Every structure is written in structure tokens, then in C-alpha cells.
Amino acid sequence: MNQPYIRRQHHVQRDVRIIDTAQAYGNEAGVGEAIRICGVAREELFITTKVAAELKKFDAVTQSIDESLAKLGLEYIDLLIIHSPQPWKEFRGEKRYFEENKEVWKAMEAAYKARKVKAIGLSNFLEDDVEDILSSCEVKPMVNQILAHVSNTPMPLIEFCWKHDILVEAYSPIAHGAILDHAEVKAIADQYGVSVAQLCLRYGIQLGLVVLSKTANPDHMRTNATLDFMISDADMETLLNTAHIQDYGEHSFFPVFGGKLT
């Protein structure tokens, strides 16, 4: 990869209040209640939700967007994305749902034009999935949220998105914890005096990704926000080429890790 780290950032923005939820999580009402009682002004929050992967009809998607707004108790959603190009039970299967996703996108464009959402995007879309949307859209996708972390960094997809001015968000930047006991990655983290989680988050940021970390531990939250160090190009290259994780343990069943719902 030529000049792989020219996108790296030299600072980390603090207090970015991003809340990432989805229709499939079944917690939009709870998230909405938390928003109302947290004491933080609405304009200081960035709320993302996702259209359920199984919804592939214009009317069903339109209705789901209104339901999400009602459950969240919001006048607008900051970012709305398609959770998956295929229903989860068919994730990465033969049927690609190209025409159906165009219909989903039209519903999302209508919500965007009606100012129900401020930005629209994709999740788990491969290059040809993205091309399908680009072939007929009126509003280009603004984001593609994908699985990306040390040992799984799909640079061709990432660079394809950048080529089309699509921001790439990396979910599971520490591989749901599967990377934490990786000896080589831990050795590099030790060189910088940081945790493996900090190293992995910094890695994503230096690649130019928006990293979406999550934790229920306040101490981990504070530590993960302390990323005032730079990874050398040599170490970035090592991390970029770390052998792919073959087994995500208890999380391997989840579709985004190649498993199937039953």
C-alpha cells in the first residue's frame, strides 16, 4: 500500500458523544430515555441507528424510520445506515439483494430530504454492494460502517470508500476482545506503555478510520480516550499485516464474523 499512513491524525478529539444503536438491538426506547435524562444538550450528541437488515421494501423502511424516531423520542437522527446488504440469515450468501437495497436507499433518501435524518450511509457493504447504490442514488452514501481491526483491515474496501468520499467507520476495533491476548500485538503495545485496546484504537485512527469503541467499564472508557501517542510506520505495517484471527471465540457465531444465525 503506497504511503499507507498519510491519513493519520496527530490528535484525538475528546468528549465526542456518539451513541450507536440499531433497530435490531431492540434498545432504541432505552437509548431515547437515556438521552432525555443525561443532561447533555441534544446538539452535543451524535445518534446513529440502523435500518434492520431484513427490511428491503420502501414502505417497510419508511415506517421503520418513523418508528425509530418515535422510540428514540427525537426530531431527527444524526446518521441512519443500512445494517447489512443482506438479511442476517443470508449474510454473505449468494443472493446479493442489489435491487432491494436500491429500494431501501430510496426510502432513506426521502427521509434525508424530509430532514428526519442528517446523514445516510451503509454498514457491512462490500465494494460491489456500494457500487450498486452509487449507480442510481441521488444522495451518495456518506458512511460505510465495517468490521475493521488489527488482524482484519480490509484496505481494498477502505480505499474504495475513500475514493468515493465515503467515510469509513470501524466497529469492533478490538475484535470483541479477541485481540487482547495476541502476543505480538501485546509486545508492540508494551513498547508504547499502553494497553492493547489503546494500541488498536490508535491504529484505526492513524489509518484514517472513525473507530467505534464500546465498554461498560468507566475506567476502560477513560483509558480508551487517552491516545496521545503515535505508532511508528514500521509498527503500523506490522499491525496491518498481522495474521487474520481465525476464531473469535464466543463471538464467532455473530454474522459479521462469518457465522450464521439459526
Side-chain angles (χ1 to χ4, degrees):
M1 178 178 157
N2 295 327
Q3 294 183 307
Y5 315 120
I6 58 173
R7 286 176 169 266
R8 67 185 180 187
Q9 300 173 16
H10 292 268
H11 69 280
V12 178
Q13 187 174 351
R14 301 282 191 237
D15 298 324
V16 178
R17 298 181 172 101
I18 297 175
I19 300 175
D20 184 279
T21 186
Q23 294 171 359
Y25 301 162
N27 66 351
E28 288 177 319
V31 168
E33 179 62 20
I35 291 170
R36 286 188 289 278
I37 67 176
C38 71
V40 178
R42 170 66 183 95
E43 59 270 18
E44 295 181 22
L45 299 172
F46 190 93
I47 311 301
T48 298
T49 196
K50 310 175 188 75
V51 173
E54 292 69 29
L55 299 181
K56 298 300 181 186
K57 296 291 186 181
F58 182 96
D59 289 344
V61 173
T62 299
Q63 180 179 341
S64 79
I65 295 169
D66 290 338
E67 289 174 351
S68 288
L69 284 165
K71 289 175 182 177
L72 289 163
L74 300 177
E75 293 183 359
Y76 66 90
I77 294 163
D78 294 281
L79 173 62
L80 180 72
I81 58 184
I82 305 175
H83 209 159
S84 166
Q86 299 148 306
W88 289 123
K89 288 185 179 181
E90 300 176 58
F91 188 68
R92 299 294 188 251
E94 291 184 8
K95 183 172 173 56
R96 301 302 300 277
Y97 288 86
F98 289 138
E99 293 306 313
E100 291 87 346
N101 284 320
K102 288 178 181 177
E103 194 167 339
V104 177
W105 192 254
K106 287 179 182 177
M108 291 171 60
E109 286 180 326
Y112 174 77
K113 292 173 184 177
R115 299 185 179 180
K116 295 178 181 179
V117 300
K118 289 194 170 184
I120 51 179
L122 312 167
S123 184
N124 298 301
F125 274 54
L126 302 177
E127 288 99 318
D128 55 354
D129 295 312
V130 178
E131 285 178 329
D132 174 57
I133 300 298
L134 291 173
S135 69
S136 63
C137 66
E138 295 182 34
V139 180
K140 286 178 57 176
M142 301 165 190
V143 170
N144 191 15
Q145 188 182 109
I146 63 173
L147 175 67
H149 55 74
V150 173
S151 81
N152 181 53
T153 312
M155 287 310 303
L157 173 58
I158 291 169
E159 291 181 325
F160 174 85
C161 291
W162 286 342
K163 177 183 175 181
H164 292 282
D165 296 319
I166 298 171
L167 182 73
V168 179
E169 289 187 338
Y171 68 80
S172 299
I174 57 172
H176 268 309
I179 198 75
L180 297 178
D181 296 323
H182 192 290
E184 185 178 20
V185 177
K186 189 175 186 307
I188 294 175
D190 289 344
Q191 292 176 15
Y192 292 92
V194 298
S195 68
V196 171
Q198 286 174 301
L199 183 77
C200 290
L201 295 174
R202 182 75 241 184
Y203 165 82
I205 289 170
Q206 286 188 210
L207 282 180
L209 311 178
V210 174
V211 292
L212 301 174
S213 62
K214 65 177 182 178
T215 179
N217 185 313
D219 291 333
H220 290 172
M221 195 177 298
R222 282 187 286 270
T223 299
N224 289 348
T226 307
L227 303 176
D228 296 326
F229 65 98
M230 292 295 296
I231 303 172
S232 71
D233 283 358
D235 287 335
M236 285 291 292
E237 189 70 23
T238 298
L239 293 170
L240 183 65
N241 292 291
T242 301
H244 185 71
I245 290 178
Q246 299 299 318
D247 183 4
Y248 286 90
E250 64 179 301
H251 301 287
S252 295
F253 75 92
F254 195 63
V256 292
F257 296 118
K260 295 289 184 182
L261 291 174
T262 57

Short mmCIF file of all heavy atoms in Angstrom, two decimals, residues 151-181:
data_model
loop_
_atom_site.label_atom_id
_atom_site.label_comp_id
_atom_site.label_asym_id
_atom_site.label_seq_id
_atom_site.Cartn_x
_atom_site.Cartn_y
_atom_site.Cartn_z
N SER A 151 -5.45 -7.23 12.51
CA SER A 151 -5.62 -8.61 12.04
C SER A 151 -6.80 -8.75 11.09
O SER A 151 -7.03 -9.82 10.54
CB SER A 151 -5.75 -9.63 13.18
OG SER A 151 -7.07 -9.66 13.70
N ASN A 152 -7.56 -7.68 10.88
CA ASN A 152 -8.65 -7.71 9.89
C ASN A 152 -8.89 -6.29 9.40
O ASN A 152 -9.80 -5.61 9.86
CB ASN A 152 -9.93 -8.29 10.49
CG ASN A 152 -11.05 -8.36 9.46
OD1 ASN A 152 -10.87 -8.91 8.38
ND2 ASN A 152 -12.20 -7.78 9.78
N THR A 153 -8.04 -5.83 8.48
CA THR A 153 -8.14 -4.48 7.95
C THR A 153 -8.32 -4.56 6.44
O THR A 153 -7.35 -4.70 5.70
CB THR A 153 -6.88 -3.65 8.28
OG1 THR A 153 -6.56 -3.79 9.67
CG2 THR A 153 -7.11 -2.18 7.97
N PRO A 154 -9.56 -4.51 5.96
CA PRO A 154 -9.83 -4.69 4.52
C PRO A 154 -9.49 -3.43 3.72
O PRO A 154 -10.36 -2.66 3.32
CB PRO A 154 -11.32 -5.00 4.50
CG PRO A 154 -11.88 -4.27 5.69
CD PRO A 154 -10.80 -4.33 6.74
N MET A 155 -8.19 -3.23 3.47
CA MET A 155 -7.75 -2.00 2.83
C MET A 155 -8.34 -1.77 1.44
O MET A 155 -8.67 -0.62 1.10
CB MET A 155 -6.22 -1.94 2.78
CG MET A 155 -5.55 -1.67 4.13
SD MET A 155 -6.23 -0.25 5.05
CE MET A 155 -6.03 1.09 3.89
N PRO A 156 -8.52 -2.79 0.59
CA PRO A 156 -9.15 -2.51 -0.71
C PRO A 156 -10.54 -1.90 -0.56
O PRO A 156 -10.88 -0.96 -1.28
CB PRO A 156 -9.19 -3.89 -1.38
CG PRO A 156 -8.05 -4.63 -0.77
CD PRO A 156 -8.01 -4.18 0.67
N LEU A 157 -11.33 -2.41 0.37
CA LEU A 157 -12.67 -1.85 0.61
C LEU A 157 -12.57 -0.45 1.18
O LEU A 157 -13.29 0.47 0.76
CB LEU A 157 -13.45 -2.76 1.56
CG LEU A 157 -14.80 -2.25 2.05
CD1 LEU A 157 -15.74 -1.96 0.88
CD2 LEU A 157 -15.43 -3.24 3.02
N ILE A 158 -11.67 -0.27 2.13
CA ILE A 158 -11.49 1.05 2.76
C ILE A 158 -11.07 2.09 1.72
O ILE A 158 -11.63 3.18 1.64
CB ILE A 158 -10.46 0.96 3.89
CG1 ILE A 158 -11.04 0.14 5.06
CG2 ILE A 158 -10.03 2.35 4.37
CD1 ILE A 158 -10.02 -0.24 6.12
N GLU A 159 -10.10 1.73 0.88
CA GLU A 159 -9.62 2.68 -0.13
C GLU A 159 -10.68 2.94 -1.19
O GLU A 159 -10.78 4.05 -1.73
CB GLU A 159 -8.33 2.15 -0.76
CG GLU A 159 -7.17 2.16 0.23
CD GLU A 159 -5.88 1.66 -0.38
OE1 GLU A 159 -5.93 0.74 -1.23
OE2 GLU A 159 -4.82 2.19 -0.02
N PHE A 160 -11.49 1.92 -1.51
CA PHE A 160 -12.60 2.12 -2.44
C PHE A 160 -13.56 3.16 -1.88
O PHE A 160 -14.02 4.06 -2.61
CB PHE A 160 -13.32 0.79 -2.68
CG PHE A 160 -14.57 0.92 -3.50
CD1 PHE A 160 -14.50 0.90 -4.89
CD2 PHE A 160 -15.81 1.05 -2.90
CE1 PHE A 160 -15.66 1.03 -5.66
CE2 PHE A 160 -16.96 1.18 -3.66
CZ PHE A 160 -16.89 1.16 -5.04
N CYS A 161 -13.89 3.05 -0.60
CA CYS A 161 -14.80 4.02 0.02
C CYS A 161 -14.19 5.41 0.01
O CYS A 161 -14.87 6.39 -0.32
CB CYS A 161 -15.12 3.58 1.46
SG CYS A 161 -16.16 2.10 1.58
N TRP A 162 -12.92 5.52 0.36
CA TRP A 162 -12.26 6.83 0.34
C TRP A 162 -12.30 7.44 -1.07
O TRP A 162 -12.51 8.64 -1.22
CB TRP A 162 -10.81 6.68 0.79
CG TRP A 162 -10.65 6.47 2.27
CD1 TRP A 162 -11.56 6.71 3.25
CD2 TRP A 162 -9.48 5.96 2.91
NE1 TRP A 162 -11.04 6.38 4.47
CE2 TRP A 162 -9.76 5.92 4.30
CE3 TRP A 162 -8.24 5.52 2.47
CZ2 TRP A 162 -8.83 5.47 5.24
CZ3 TRP A 162 -7.31 5.08 3.41
CH2 TRP A 162 -7.61 5.06 4.77
N LYS A 163 -12.09 6.60 -2.08
CA LYS A 163 -12.11 7.08 -3.46
C LYS A 163 -13.44 7.76 -3.78
O LYS A 163 -13.49 8.71 -4.56
CB LYS A 163 -11.86 5.91 -4.41
CG LYS A 163 -11.93 6.26 -5.88
CD LYS A 163 -11.74 5.02 -6.75
CE LYS A 163 -11.92 5.34 -8.22
NZ LYS A 163 -11.77 4.11 -9.06
N HIS A 164 -14.50 7.28 -3.17
CA HIS A 164 -15.83 7.82 -3.42
C HIS A 164 -16.28 8.77 -2.29
O HIS A 164 -17.48 9.04 -2.16
CB HIS A 164 -16.83 6.68 -3.60
CG HIS A 164 -16.62 5.88 -4.85
ND1 HIS A 164 -17.02 6.33 -6.08
CD2 HIS A 164 -15.99 4.69 -5.06
CE1 HIS A 164 -16.68 5.44 -7.00
NE2 HIS A 164 -16.06 4.44 -6.42
N ASP A 165 -15.32 9.26 -1.53
CA ASP A 165 -15.59 10.22 -0.46
C ASP A 165 -16.58 9.68 0.57
O ASP A 165 -17.43 10.42 1.08
CB ASP A 165 -16.11 11.55 -1.03
CG ASP A 165 -15.06 12.23 -1.91
OD1 ASP A 165 -13.88 12.22 -1.52
OD2 ASP A 165 -15.43 12.76 -2.97
N ILE A 166 -16.48 8.39 0.85
CA ILE A 166 -17.30 7.75 1.87
C ILE A 166 -16.46 7.53 3.11
O ILE A 166 -15.41 6.87 3.05
CB ILE A 166 -17.87 6.41 1.36
CG1 ILE A 166 -18.77 6.63 0.13
CG2 ILE A 166 -18.63 5.67 2.46
CD1 ILE A 166 -19.20 5.35 -0.56
N LEU A 167 -16.89 8.09 4.22
CA LEU A 167 -16.19 7.92 5.49
C LEU A 167 -16.29 6.47 5.93
O LEU A 167 -17.35 5.84 5.79
CB LEU A 167 -16.81 8.83 6.54
CG LEU A 167 -16.18 8.84 7.94
CD1 LEU A 167 -14.85 9.57 7.91
CD2 LEU A 167 -17.13 9.51 8.93
N VAL A 168 -15.22 5.92 6.46
CA VAL A 168 -15.23 4.55 6.95
C VAL A 168 -15.21 4.54 8.47
O VAL A 168 -14.30 5.10 9.10
CB VAL A 168 -14.03 3.74 6.41
CG1 VAL A 168 -14.07 2.31 6.95
CG2 VAL A 168 -14.05 3.71 4.89
N GLU A 169 -16.24 3.94 9.05
CA GLU A 169 -16.30 3.74 10.50
C GLU A 169 -15.92 2.29 10.79
O GLU A 169 -16.42 1.37 10.13
CB GLU A 169 -17.70 4.01 11.04
CG GLU A 169 -18.11 5.46 11.03
CD GLU A 169 -19.44 5.70 11.72
OE1 GLU A 169 -20.24 4.74 11.84
OE2 GLU A 169 -19.68 6.84 12.13
N ALA A 170 -15.06 2.10 11.77
CA ALA A 170 -14.62 0.76 12.15
C ALA A 170 -15.32 0.33 13.44
O ALA A 170 -15.11 0.92 14.49
CB ALA A 170 -13.10 0.75 12.36
N TYR A 171 -16.18 -0.69 13.32
CA TYR A 171 -16.77 -1.23 14.54
C TYR A 171 -15.94 -2.44 15.00
O TYR A 171 -15.18 -3.01 14.23
CB TYR A 171 -18.25 -1.58 14.37
CG TYR A 171 -18.58 -2.73 13.44
CD1 TYR A 171 -18.47 -4.05 13.87
CD2 TYR A 171 -19.06 -2.50 12.16
CE1 TYR A 171 -18.81 -5.10 13.05
CE2 TYR A 171 -19.41 -3.55 11.33
CZ TYR A 171 -19.27 -4.86 11.77
OH TYR A 171 -19.61 -5.90 10.94
N SER A 172 -16.08 -2.77 16.27
CA SER A 172 -15.28 -3.84 16.89
C SER A 172 -13.79 -3.62 16.66
O SER A 172 -13.08 -4.52 16.21
CB SER A 172 -15.70 -5.21 16.37
OG SER A 172 -17.04 -5.48 16.66
N PRO A 173 -13.26 -2.42 16.97
CA PRO A 173 -11.84 -2.13 16.70
C PRO A 173 -10.88 -2.95 17.55
O PRO A 173 -9.69 -2.98 17.25
CB PRO A 173 -11.72 -0.63 16.99
CG PRO A 173 -12.83 -0.35 17.96
CD PRO A 173 -13.96 -1.24 17.55
N ILE A 174 -11.39 -3.60 18.59
CA ILE A 174 -10.53 -4.52 19.35
C ILE A 174 -11.06 -5.95 19.24
O ILE A 174 -10.85 -6.79 20.11
CB ILE A 174 -10.36 -4.10 20.82
CG1 ILE A 174 -11.71 -3.97 21.53
CG2 ILE A 174 -9.59 -2.79 20.93
CD1 ILE A 174 -11.57 -3.76 23.04
N ALA A 175 -11.78 -6.22 18.14
CA ALA A 175 -12.20 -7.58 17.78
C ALA A 175 -12.99 -8.25 18.91
O ALA A 175 -12.81 -9.44 19.17
CB ALA A 175 -10.98 -8.44 17.40
N HIS A 176 -13.86 -7.48 19.53
CA HIS A 176 -14.65 -8.00 20.66
C HIS A 176 -13.77 -8.64 21.72
O HIS A 176 -14.16 -9.60 22.39
CB HIS A 176 -15.69 -9.01 20.16
CG HIS A 176 -17.02 -8.38 19.85
ND1 HIS A 176 -17.68 -7.57 20.73
CD2 HIS A 176 -17.80 -8.46 18.75
CE1 HIS A 176 -18.83 -7.18 20.18
NE2 HIS A 176 -18.92 -7.69 18.99
N GLY A 177 -12.55 -8.13 21.83
CA GLY A 177 -11.63 -8.63 22.85
C GLY A 177 -10.75 -9.77 22.40
O GLY A 177 -9.83 -10.16 23.12
N ALA A 178 -11.00 -10.31 21.20
CA ALA A 178 -10.23 -11.47 20.75
C ALA A 178 -8.77 -11.13 20.49
O ALA A 178 -7.93 -12.03 20.44
CB ALA A 178 -10.86 -12.04 19.48
N ILE A 179 -8.44 -9.84 20.34
CA ILE A 179 -7.07 -9.43 20.05
C ILE A 179 -6.26 -9.19 21.33
O ILE A 179 -5.04 -9.07 21.30
CB ILE A 179 -7.08 -8.15 19.17
CG1 ILE A 179 -5.72 -7.93 18.48
CG2 ILE A 179 -7.46 -6.92 20.00
CD1 ILE A 179 -5.49 -8.85 17.33
N LEU A 180 -6.95 -9.11 22.47
CA LEU A 180 -6.29 -8.66 23.70
C LEU A 180 -5.17 -9.57 24.16
O LEU A 180 -4.23 -9.14 24.83
CB LEU A 180 -7.32 -8.48 24.81
CG LEU A 180 -8.38 -7.40 24.56
CD1 LEU A 180 -9.38 -7.34 25.70
CD2 LEU A 180 -7.72 -6.03 24.36
N ASP A 181 -5.26 -10.85 23.85
CA ASP A 181 -4.23 -11.80 24.29
C ASP A 181 -3.26 -12.17 23.18
O ASP A 181 -2.50 -13.14 23.30
CB ASP A 181 -4.91 -13.07 24.83
CG ASP A 181 -5.74 -12.80 26.08
OD1 ASP A 181 -5.32 -11.97 26.90
OD2 ASP A 181 -6.83 -13.41 26.21
#
